Amino acid sequence: MNAPHRHEAPAPEIDAEAVRTYRVEEQIGYLIRRAHQRASAIFETVMRDFSVTPVQYAVLCKLHDLGPTSQNQVGRLVGVDPATMFGVARRLTARGLVQPTADAADARLVLLTLTAEGDRVIEAMKSRGTEVTARTLDPLSPAEAAELTRLIARLG
């Protein structure tokens, strides 16, 4: 019995010079990942007392900025998919930092609102937020830090 015929893609051409000169540590994805690791470690150190992840922090910040907002909208604003946002909202609710409610105008929407504890936590965290940025960008001059921030914002 013969195995089903599979249509295989042609083998890609190999550029020997590209292979010879390629260095992963010079690639943008690698460099961004390393910078992200640095920023995450600094965030963890500075925000250790709060036991909040960077994504949870972003959600709390947006709710603090905007007031009651639909769970889907907050997820879009902070760049997380709906399944991840559902888990984040569930964990923040379990910690007593947010309160989910059905939207009065559209019961299909879940509104997230900061609780009094959530308000207290995010205000304390925001007061330390600039320290995370300053420490992350510390190896750069102020002009370099501003330029890097401007350029990375264009990639998002």
Side-chain angles (χ1 to χ4, degrees), residues 28-47:
I28 191 64
Y30 177 89
L31 294 168
I32 289 172
R33 183 182 61 77
R34 293 295 306 263
H36 179 260
Q37 288 173 324
R38 174 184 169 78
S40 294
I42 291 168
F43 178 92
E44 174 57 34
T45 298
V46 172
M47 301 295 191

Side-chain angles (χ1 to χ4, degrees), residues 95-135:
R95 289 200 45 206
L97 301 177
V98 301
Q99 176 67 47
T101 56
D103 186 318
D106 185 349
R108 296 170 300 173
L109 293 179
V110 175
L111 291 180
L112 299 178
T113 305
L114 288 176
T115 62
E117 176 66 4
D119 219 30
R120 185 193 69 73
V121 166
I122 194 55
E123 287 181 2
M125 290 184 82
K126 278 184 165 184
S127 73
R128 295 186 189 177
T130 55
E131 181 183 346
V132 175
T133 297
R135 288 176 60 180

Side-chain angles (χ1 to χ4, degrees), residues 12-149:
E13 279 192 38
I14 303 297
D15 179 339
E17 181 62 11
V19 170
R20 188 184 71 72
T21 60
Y22 185 90
R23 300 291 175 263
V24 72
E25 60 275 3
E26 297 170 355
Q27 305 311 306
I28 191 64
Y30 177 89
L31 294 168
I32 289 172
R33 183 182 61 77
R34 293 295 306 263
H36 179 260
Q37 288 173 324
R38 174 184 169 78
S40 294
I42 291 168
F43 178 92
E44 174 57 34
T45 298
V46 172
M47 301 295 191
R48 171 177 290 127
D49 299 340
F50 302 103
S51 299
V52 170
T53 68
V55 171
Q56 291 171 347
Y57 174 67
V59 167
L60 293 171
C61 281
K62 277 294 142 200
L63 291 174
H64 188 257
D65 294 347
L66 301 174
T69 308
S70 81
Q71 183 171 300
N72 286 339
Q73 178 68 11
V74 173
R76 284 192 299 275
L77 291 170
V78 300
V80 298
D81 62 87
T84 300
M85 187 59 218
F86 178 81
V88 169
R90 185 176 44 77
R91 286 184 288 282
L92 292 173
T93 298
R95 289 200 45 206
L97 301 177
V98 301
Q99 176 67 47
T101 56
D103 186 318
D106 185 349
R108 296 170 300 173
L109 293 179
V110 175
L111 291 180
L112 299 178
T113 305
L114 288 176
T115 62
E117 176 66 4
D119 219 30
R120 185 193 69 73
V121 166
I122 194 55
E123 287 181 2
M125 290 184 82
K126 278 184 165 184
S127 73
R128 295 186 189 177
T130 55
E131 181 183 346
V132 175
T133 297
R135 288 176 60 180
T136 300
L137 296 173
D138 187 55
L140 305 176
S141 72
E144 290 169 330
E147 181 69 358
L148 177 64
T149 302

